[in-house]
Amino acid sequence: MAGRGSFSNKLGFILAAAGSAVGLGNIWSFPFEVGAGGGAAFLVMYLIFCFILCFPVMVTEIAIGRKTQLNPAGAYKALGFKKWSILGLQGIFSGFVILSFYNVVAGWAFGYFIELLFGHFEIGKQFGDFTKDVFKVGSYAMVFMFATAFIVSKGVAGGIEKASKILMPTLIIMILGLVVYSLTLDNAMIGLSFYLVPDFSKLTLSVMGSAMGQAFFSLSLGMGALITYGSYVGKGDNIVSSAAFITLADVGMAFIAGLMMFPMVAYLTDGTMEGAGQGAGLIFTVLPGAFESLGSTLGVIIGASFFLLLSFAALTSTVSLLEVPVAYVVDEKGVRRNRAVWLIAGLIFVIGIPSLLSNGYSGFFTNFITYIGAENPTSFMDFAQNVANDTLLPLGGCLISIFAAYIWKTKNLNEEIEQGYPGYTGSFVQKYLNFAVMFLCPTVLGIMFLLTFLQTFFGINLF
Ligand code: PFF
């Protein structure tokens, strides 16, 4: 297949897929979603979604990818269901939307690396001014998109694997170190109990809906990214154990990011936890203050390296986001890989401009839309997140399971999983996966999608 690489070994695929999953979703959006969702109640829902509902979808995506060796849209067609390639196109569209705002946040992370390198800890208090400085932030975002396109243009094996191997473990070690530090801070226990002791009265439909969206977003599911990556997996590899590793790595990373964040929030707010629900600015307003408390030299070293590593974690995710549409036009439209990469990267950068402007610079994009029944307007960037993460990805996950169970048929799915997993047939894993793909995912995801969609955008509360 023209321009198609392949992972050099099983570890290469796992690291790249884990690199796709672990990113801003774990360290930037997970803590702010927990904060906005009332703490531990959100965490509990998130864990349920990841392990019970998303894991089977992940196995299914990888299996479809390996079976067809194609991009999402081509995969449905190759299995003989041409009409379903619209689901692949929906995934490709989701990837466009996600990468457009994700790249802006990645630009913030990269910008914070530079600010902290110069010891500018005050940036935490000036986050609003920082995001408003669209020329500066826009340049960082442009550098970021350029780096993403460069890596993708080098092909799968060459670029993605190398970046994942060294930097992810370094980031994990650093966050673990910061967890230890943050647990020694004053009021740490208040932060910890906010994060770990659930208050189920906070569990509303919208909290459940955001936990679902966050689970899909964080695991890179529901849009075919793992169909695309699965297409590079060898037939001898065990899809289930790979998916289990990716899920555990991703959830583990988000979990420790929370352990790091909430004691810091408690420390910086004298235990009031005020601002924990502020939204997208959470890590950007909190972390610089916490780094400053390490002293000027250590603060600069840890602070700057933290944001540099976060930028790399974001890069292994942006690479997978760009890979989805690129694989599509390379496979389906016969466009040369290099040309596809640069054209699509440029296009997505342009689509991201409203998100860039929607954090204070432009009143129009900052107060972009007021949902029916809502009190406050939603910015363009939040709107894009609501559409992609909370709506399109869970819907994609629901439809992918329906496709696998009833159109492609569970028997074929099982046959694909069996390769590389000899004891699969008749095992508990098989029974659970089949039950999930046939019944659990279509119903729970379908109902949740409908309820949250109506509530978020139309203020209709059926629950
Ligand atoms: N999972 C990534 C994160 O948590 O940062 C974001 C992402 C990457 C979503 C790739 C979807 C995707 F296809």
Side-chain angles (χ1 to χ4, degrees):
M1 217 163 295
R4 210 148 233 264
S6 140
F7 289 110
S8 52
N9 53 34
K10 183 179 174 201
L11 190 66
F13 160 72
I14 289 189
L15 287 178
S20 163
V22 174
L24 294 169
N26 307 62
I27 292 152
W28 161 68
S29 72
F30 174 75
F32 90 64
E33 294 276 9
V34 173
F42 178 97
L43 175 66
V44 171
M45 284 316 297
Y46 172 74
L47 294 174
I48 293 177
F49 276 114
C50 286
F51 288 117
I52 298 185
L53 289 150
C54 289
F55 175 68
V57 176
M58 184 183 285
V59 171
T60 307
E61 279 201 23
I62 300 175
I64 294 177
R66 187 175 68 176
K67 172 77 189 171
T68 58
Q69 307 273 302
L70 282 169
N71 66 85
Y76 299 105
K77 219 189 295 170
L79 291 174
F81 310 100
K82 194 158 184 274
K83 281 199 193 130
W84 281 80
S85 60
I86 191 145
L87 178 55
L89 291 176
Q90 180 208 310
I92 290 162
F93 176 73
S94 311
F96 259 76
V97 176
I98 293 177
L99 185 51
S100 75
F101 68 75
Y102 199 93
N103 188 58
V104 172
V105 182
W108 295 348
F110 186 66
Y112 262 52
F113 155 63
I114 294 180
E115 298 288 338
L116 290 184
L117 199 59
F118 290 102
H120 187 199
F121 295 111
E122 286 305 296
I123 191 74
K125 299 194 185 88
Q126 299 157 356
F127 177 66
D129 297 330
F130 174 79
T131 58
K132 256 189 239 165
D133 193 344
V134 292
F135 293 102
K136 191 154 108 183
V137 177
S139 319
Y140 293 142
M142 196 182 279
V143 170
F144 213 86
M145 188 61 94
F146 190 86
T148 305
F150 181 76
I151 293 180
V152 175
S153 71
K154 292 280 164 208
V156 171
I160 305 173
E161 270 184 44
K162 276 187 204 141
S164 309
K165 269 182 199 158
I166 323 156
L167 299 164
M168 291 243 306
T170 320
L171 182 61
I172 296 174
I173 292 167
M174 172 151 228
I175 295 184
L176 283 174
L178 286 167
V179 169
V180 174
Y181 171 67
S182 87
L183 290 175
T184 65
L185 295 170
D186 287 347
N187 295 321
M189 287 307 133
I190 296 179
L192 212 54
S193 75
F194 174 82
Y195 182 46
L196 296 179
V197 183
D199 169 359
F200 286 111
S201 67
K202 299 206 170 119
L203 204 56
T204 58
L205 175 63
S206 85
V207 168
M208 286 197 256
S210 359
M212 176 174 69
Q214 173 62 24
F216 273 90
F217 175 68
S218 185
L219 291 167
S220 304
L221 285 180
M223 49 165 274
L226 291 183
I227 293 185
T228 308
Y229 269 26
S231 70
Y232 301 107
V233 178
K235 286 285 182 199
D237 295 341
N238 184 329
I239 295 177
V240 175
S241 65
S242 305
F245 176 85
I246 297 162
T247 307
L248 281 172
D250 188 63
V251 172
M253 194 73 165
F255 184 73
I256 59 171
L259 282 181
M260 168 187 82
M261 277 305 294
F262 292 103
M264 286 180 182
V265 176
Y267 165 70
L268 293 170
T269 60
D270 288 328
T272 64
M273 297 307 283
E274 229 166 80
Q278 63 177 277
L282 186 66
I283 68 161
F284 295 102
T285 55
V286 169
L287 286 176
F291 291 137
E292 190 174 18
S293 70
L294 288 167
S296 54
T297 314
L298 194 60
V300 166
I301 297 174
I302 303 280
S305 5
F306 178 88
F307 279 105
L308 185 62
L309 288 170
L310 179 58
S311 306
F312 278 116
L315 193 59
T316 52
S317 301
T318 52
V319 157
S320 72
L321 281 160
L322 185 58
E323 179 68 26
V324 175
V326 166
Y328 170 70
V329 295
V330 170
D331 291 345
E332 303 301 307
K333 309 280 170 209
V335 178
R336 268 191 311 115
R337 187 173 175 95
N338 219 20
R339 171 180 299 205
V341 169
W342 292 102
L343 277 178
I344 295 173
L347 185 64
I348 296 180
F349 181 80
V350 173
I351 298 174
I353 290 176
S355 287
L356 179 68
L357 304 179
S358 76
N359 291 282
Y361 183 80
S362 143
F364 176 72
F365 288 116
T366 304
N367 302 311
F368 184 63
I369 185 169
T370 304
Y371 301 142
I372 299 170
E375 278 167 26
N376 300 317
T378 298
S379 72
F380 184 88
M381 189 159 145
D382 288 343
F383 173 64
Q385 284 186 62
N386 288 151
V387 169
N389 306 10
D390 304 338
T391 310
L392 291 177
L393 298 186
L395 177 65
C398 172
L399 294 175
I400 286 168
S401 16
I402 292 176
F403 171 80
Y406 301 104
I407 310 294
W408 186 35
K409 302 278 189 252
T410 321
K411 179 178 141 295
N412 292 314
L413 173 66
N414 285 334
E415 259 171 39
E416 187 58 38
I417 300 174
E418 165 90 353
Q419 293 190 46
Y421 183 175
Y424 174 69
T425 307
S427 67
F428 170 75
V429 175
Q430 186 208 2
K431 292 192 181 99
Y432 178 68
L433 285 176
N434 288 184
F435 169 70
V437 178
M438 292 169 81
F439 306 110
L440 206 60
C441 296
T443 47
V444 178
L445 294 176
I447 293 171
M448 279 294 297
F449 158 75
L450 209 70
L451 291 177
T452 49
F453 176 74
L454 290 175
Q455 191 195 42
T456 311
F457 298 106
F458 299 98
I460 299 173
N461 229 325
L462 294 179
F463 182 52

